[in-house]
Amino acid sequence: MKKFKTLSSALIILTALGVAIAPVSAAVQPDMAKVEERKARKTQIVGERVGKVLVKAFELYNEEKLDEAIAILLEAKSSNAFDTATLNRFLGNLYATKDEKQAIKYLTLAVAPDELTFNDQAGSLKLLADMLLQDKQYQKAIKAYESWIMFTGEQNSDAYMRIANAYYLMNQYDKVLAPADDAIRFSPKPIEGPYQLKMAALYETKRYKELITVVETMVQLFPENKQFWVYLGNFYTLTEEFSKSLSTLQLAYSQGYLEKDSEVRMLAQMYANNNIPYKAAVTMEKHMKSGLVKRDKTNLNFIASNYQSAREFLKAAEYYGEVAKLTNDADAYRRQGSAYSAVQRYNEAIAAYDKALSMNVDKPSGVYMSLVDAYFYQQKYREAYAALMNAKKDPGMSRQVRGWESYIKDKAKQKGISL
């Protein structure tokens, strides 16, 4: 189940956000009066000298001369706080395309004095947060996103998603849930990302009941996402709700959502766990024949044992025979013999038992006792008695041997057969 750890870094960072329906209040509460004050602040304009540098840098950038653009910005100096912040902002933006640590340095310098225009300050705070997240400075990234929300007053789904993601990447799973819920609350439409984060965090903290509730919501909101159905079917097993697991997987299967070997095997296993062995065997058999499920010892044994549980003994014998040929497994021949005996195919059973004995099967005395049955019901009392004598070599079989010995002798005597 550790595969869900893969819902980290690249996947979560790049996933779009959110979904409506939400908790009572957001994690960050901006002072909207201060936000309005910032928006109403008088707009400043850079000085002529700095303005020319910025124009030249922009032209070089458009000509894809990034290093030259950075160089002229680094040479520019100003005693004016606004001009300096603007230069640092441009440097931060340019470095963001090539060097995140330098981008963080200059963006931090740009926003520190709070001299930029409202939109430029907001954009720089957001870019700084993104750079910190990209540089794996997760705690600082969280603070930066919160600062951006406080500055802009914007309850933004994307920002909360990234905060939740940062907590997840620090393995602080309990702290993932609140910002993920805020990402859901402030998203204009249902999108998968925050739910995936909640799912991953709840799985890591083993809060399985809550996990299932989240994934149940996910399959309702995003029914076309095949993987969510598989997750839900799998997660029901964590709380031993096997009938719900089976129902979910059956529904997914009927819609063509189970496309992988592991998914089909999970469905077959759920049939077995819910005491529906025939469907378990048939499902596995169908997809083995199609080539989706591997034809290996484990899967062949699964089919054989479930056919046996379903009392489809000839089918069970067929698949035990396949296991035996594939692996030279003596016990598979013993099981094949047992399946044949169940439908009174004694000659085939005897051949399978003999093969098991020739391959030094574990506990041969048990196989000899099975041979006693097979021979006796064919009225081959001499062969049954010989098998019984071989079983008798095992002291642990003494009680069974005693019961059979006098019985076989009596039957042989009645038929005039000397033992």
Side-chain angles (χ1 to χ4, degrees), residues 141-162:
I142 290 167
K143 293 297 182 187
Y145 285 121
E146 290 175 344
S147 295
W148 177 82
I149 295 170
M150 290 294 292
F151 181 85
T152 63
E154 185 177 342
Q155 295 288 15
N156 180 272
S157 177
D158 179 75
Y160 282 115
M161 176 67 179
R162 290 167 188 261

Side-chain angles (χ1 to χ4, degrees), residues 44-301:
Q44 299 186 65
I45 300 174
V46 294
E48 183 179 353
R49 186 169 59 84
V50 170
K52 288 179 179 179
V53 171
L54 294 175
V55 169
K56 181 60 177 174
F58 190 69
E59 289 173 351
L60 289 167
Y61 173 75
N62 284 336
E63 294 169 9
E64 298 184 0
K65 296 178 180 179
L66 181 61
D67 290 339
E68 291 90 335
I70 289 173
I72 69 163
L73 289 171
L74 288 171
E75 290 173 3
K77 306 294 179 189
S78 175
S79 59
N80 180 279
F82 176 76
D83 287 3
T84 301
T86 302
L87 286 166
N88 286 328
R89 172 178 167 267
F90 268 76
L91 279 166
N93 281 318
L94 293 180
Y95 272 122
T97 66
K98 60 175 291 183
D99 186 333
E100 58 205 29
K101 291 192 183 300
Q102 287 296 319
I104 289 166
K105 172 185 173 181
Y106 285 102
L107 288 168
T108 301
L109 291 171
V111 300
D114 192 12
E115 290 285 343
L116 296 169
T117 65
F118 181 86
N119 288 337
D120 287 348
Q121 181 80 358
S124 298
L125 284 168
K126 184 68 157 55
L127 181 57
L128 174 60
D130 291 343
M131 290 292 102
L132 288 164
L133 184 61
Q134 187 173 311
D135 197 43
K136 301 182 180 179
Q137 298 185 51
Y138 301 129
Q139 196 63 57
K140 289 183 178 180
I142 290 167
K143 293 297 182 187
Y145 285 121
E146 290 175 344
S147 295
W148 177 82
I149 295 170
M150 290 294 292
F151 181 85
T152 63
E154 185 177 342
Q155 295 288 15
N156 180 272
S157 177
D158 179 75
Y160 282 115
M161 176 67 179
R162 290 167 188 261
I163 291 169
N165 181 54
Y167 279 125
Y168 183 84
L169 294 172
M170 290 191 293
N171 301 328
Q172 296 182 24
Y173 303 120
D174 286 331
K175 294 182 178 180
V176 169
L177 303 178
D181 280 332
D182 285 331
I184 291 169
R185 177 183 184 183
F186 296 114
S187 177
K189 65 178 181 179
I191 304 179
E192 298 171 2
Y195 287 98
Q196 289 179 305
L197 266 175
K198 289 186 71 175
M199 177 182 72
L202 289 167
Y203 176 79
E204 293 292 346
T205 52
K206 297 180 169 56
R207 293 159 66 175
Y208 297 138
K209 287 287 188 183
E210 294 170 76
L211 168 64
I212 286 169
T213 299
V214 169
V215 185
E216 286 174 339
T217 301
M218 290 165 71
V219 297
Q220 292 172 28
L221 290 174
F222 318 107
E224 71 288 347
N225 189 313
K226 302 174 184 180
Q227 196 60 50
F228 293 167
W229 291 90
V230 176
Y231 287 160
L232 182 57
N234 204 338
F235 291 149
Y236 277 130
T237 67
L238 299 175
T239 53
E240 299 184 359
E241 296 177 270
F242 298 120
S243 61
K244 286 186 177 181
S245 176
L246 176 58
S247 297
T248 302
L249 292 171
Q250 281 179 309
L251 185 55
Y253 183 67
S254 69
Q255 297 175 89
Y257 288 175
L258 305 187
E259 299 174 331
K260 299 177 183 176
D261 165 91
S262 59
E263 294 165 357
V264 169
R265 286 189 287 108
M266 189 193 310
L267 172 61
Q269 186 62 60
M270 281 304 103
Y271 278 126
N273 289 351
N274 283 275
N275 298 313
I276 312 174
Y278 183 77
K279 289 284 286 184
V282 167
T283 300
M284 188 77 86
E285 181 182 44
K286 173 184 176 181
H287 292 283
M288 182 179 287
K289 287 179 177 178
S290 76
L292 178 62
V293 172
K294 289 176 63 177
R295 201 175 202 88
D296 61 16
K297 177 182 177 180
T298 299
N299 294 334
L300 289 166
N301 263 324

